[in-house]
Amino acid sequence: MAEHADHAGHPESAGHAESAESAESVDGTGRTENADHPAYPVGLRLHGRRTVVIGGGQVAQRRLPQLIATGADITLVSPSATPSVEAMADAGEIRWERRRYQDGDLADTWYALVASSDTAANDAASAEAERTRTWCVRADDAEAATAWTPATGRSENVTVAVLTTTSQGRDPRHSAAIRDAIVEGLRDGTLAAPHHRTRTPGVALVGGGPGDPDLITVRGRRLLAEADVVIADRLGPRDLLDELPPHVEVIDAAKIPYGRFMAQEAINQALIEHAKAGKAVVRLKGGDPFVFGRGMEEAQALAAEGIPCTVVPGISSTISVPGAAGIPVTHRGVAHEFTVVSGHVAPEDPRSLVDWAAIARLRGTLVLLMAVDKIGAIAAALIAHGKDPATPVALVQEGTTAAQRRVDATLADVGERAVTEDVRPPAVIVIGDVVAVGPDSAPQLDAPSAD
């Protein structure tokens, strides 16, 4: 197993050094007679260096994105390619020579990936790579290769590469399983990897998703594991807080003493104070920080104090909670748009910024957040502005969690249903014909769609 940073340093030129197995005799394909010596793990810095891929099939499709990411100068030699590989060529990420391999294709090449379905061509390319001292990976015959591709994964700016270093007992699936376990541990914090260099203090505004702790992003979970202080909303994924190391200070945003400050100002001040104390601070929010999360207010307060701020988007409850309850916010032939509205201010309230008459005229889906106690008034306003009282409505409480429940109604009776069914926040309310769409509903006919 070798661990190295992305584009890790190679003390020599990455391609034209003598083959690690050149001390052994080889046959015409470059195959060694004695492959018992361990492979030497190294990171190739291929930026701007000629790299040749022979074959445009599934192996190339899997390997090319990583090669492109290194900045390599890539030439594909293949008479055909998968649609995905062809798209890379069309985008100018690789050059594609639409023909079979020819002797001389590896001239001035640092690294070659041989992955065609033509064994004779693969053998010939291996032989050329041996003559020109080009590191060469063989997808069809590892023993004929001068280099092996490890199972790789990434977490932040670290690449984990797992390689069986001898030909005896090579098991790619086992290597991949080890890789997955290490990367997952780094991402969720169960594998401790403390930073030994000084970290820049700052604040990360992390969207925690709709409630299920598995629905936070990989980056959000990693930043939580690295935090010194976490200031959490009640709507954030609470189960994740139990997984934090004991040294992490967890602050409930709802319990910050406000004093002369309003609630949001007090939260802003707490973020500033902890960051200025040199702490790595995570502001953990439910859903996405910028969807009714007041995230920009916090980012502005931090910017005014010169404090670095990172924004980590989260899965918004506006689409994920309806989806978890079996409701698509759009559906071909039913809804071509969906609109998200905050319902914390009633329609008749002079502070409301919502044009309810315009909303009522829309034919698509309406998603309401923070509207449980105002849903009766909102439904009445929509009906008054021409919305059909029979329009289906669904209230999804505690979406994506073990306590999730769905209450169905119509626009005419949703206010009463919310009371009789004791629907409580947090709940997402969906209004529109998509509420009646489910796996067993009849398909809708519509014009062809790109969705």
Side-chain angles (χ1 to χ4, degrees):
M1 177 182 71
E3 179 179 315
H4 53 87
D6 280 339
H7 304 166
H10 190 328
E12 305 174 21
S13 64
H16 294 286
E18 182 170 339
S19 168
E21 296 178 340
S22 62
E24 308 295 341
S25 61
V26 297
D27 62 22
T29 66
R31 184 191 308 275
T32 62
E33 291 181 359
N34 187 342
D36 291 335
H37 295 298
Y40 182 72
V42 67
L44 300 182
R45 302 178 68 192
L46 295 175
H47 181 264
R49 295 184 167 97
R50 177 174 167 80
T51 298
V52 175
V53 176
I54 298 172
Q58 293 295 324
V59 174
Q61 180 175 313
R62 292 198 309 271
R63 301 299 183 195
L64 276 169
Q66 188 172 345
L67 286 171
I68 291 169
T70 68
D73 180 11
I74 303 170
T75 296
L76 171 68
V77 178
S78 179
S80 62
T82 68
S84 294
V85 173
E86 187 170 351
M88 297 175 201
D90 291 343
E93 295 175 309
I94 62 174
R95 284 190 304 276
W96 181 13
E97 298 188 10
R98 304 186 185 214
R99 58 173 176 79
R100 296 185 180 278
Y101 163 79
Q102 298 172 357
D103 188 52
D105 279 342
L106 302 188
D108 299 321
T109 298
W110 295 74
Y111 178 79
L113 170 60
V114 177
S116 82
S117 58
D118 185 339
T119 303
N122 293 347
D123 288 343
S126 287
E128 182 183 356
E130 187 70 30
R131 293 195 310 272
T132 58
R133 297 183 177 180
T134 299
W135 295 118
C136 177
V137 171
R138 280 282 296 270
D140 62 334
D141 188 350
E143 294 306 311
T146 55
W148 293 332
T149 301
T152 58
R154 290 169 185 77
S155 178
E156 196 179 7
N157 63 340
V158 172
T159 295
V160 175
V162 181
L163 182 69
T164 304
T165 54
T166 64
S167 60
Q168 302 282 326
R170 280 178 56 79
D171 186 349
R173 290 186 179 181
H174 181 60
S175 297
I178 296 173
R179 181 257 336 260
D180 292 344
I182 295 172
V183 171
E184 181 64 22
L186 291 173
R187 288 174 173 174
D188 65 18
T190 56
L191 180 60
H195 290 270
H196 295 288
R197 294 181 180 177
T198 303
R199 286 181 297 174
T200 302
V203 176
L205 305 181
V206 175
D212 184 338
D214 285 343
L215 295 180
I216 190 173
T217 63
V218 169
R219 189 179 189 192
R221 194 158 192 156
R222 174 179 56 76
L223 287 171
L224 271 178
E226 297 175 355
D228 299 311
V229 178
V230 176
I231 299 179
D233 277 346
R234 67 181 182 87
L235 296 180
R238 294 169 295 181
D239 293 351
L240 290 176
L241 302 179
D242 292 336
E243 301 176 3
L244 296 176
H247 72 273
V248 178
E249 181 181 1
V250 178
I251 300 172
D252 184 346
K255 295 182 180 180
I256 293 177
Y258 300 148
R260 62 186 180 88
F261 294 106
M262 292 188 299
Q264 187 59 54
E265 291 176 346
I267 294 171
N268 295 350
Q269 192 61 32
L271 293 172
I272 291 166
E273 289 176 358
H274 285 290
K276 285 187 172 181
K279 303 294 182 64
V281 183
V282 167
R283 174 73 170 102
L284 182 62
K285 295 174 170 289
D288 182 274
F290 287 175
V291 179
F292 305 132
R294 305 186 75 169
M296 182 53 71
E297 295 178 43
E298 295 169 356
Q300 290 171 336
L302 294 167
E305 297 291 330
I307 296 172
C309 177
T310 298
V311 178
V312 181
I315 298 176
S316 175
S317 62
T318 60
I319 54 176
S320 58
V321 167
I327 303 170
V329 293
T330 63
H331 188 71
R332 188 161 65 96
V334 178
H336 286 181
E337 83 278 350
F338 68 97
T339 304
V340 180
V341 176
S342 170
H344 72 289
V345 177
E348 68 275 7
D349 194 308
R351 296 172 299 165
S352 176
L353 302 177
V354 179
D355 185 343
W356 289 104
I359 294 292
R361 290 194 298 270
L362 295 176
R363 296 181 60 186
T365 305
L366 177 60
V367 179
L368 301 175
L369 300 185
M370 299 178 287
V372 170
D373 62 337
K374 306 289 193 307
I375 185 58
I378 290 172
L382 291 172
I383 293 172
H385 289 296
K387 200 76 171 174
D388 185 352
T391 302
V393 181
L395 304 94
V396 186
Q397 180 178 327
E398 300 282 359
T400 78
T401 73
Q404 174 179 308
R405 69 181 182 117
R406 169 177 169 173
V407 174
D408 282 38
T410 65
L411 208 54
D413 66 3
V414 64
E416 180 182 352
R417 291 277 291 161
V419 173
T420 58
E421 295 292 336
D422 194 24
V423 177
R424 299 183 181 185
V428 174
I429 301 174
V430 186
I431 301 173
D433 291 337
V434 293
V435 170
V437 174
D440 298 327
S441 60
Q444 302 291 321
L445 299 179
D446 193 9
S449 170
D451 293 343

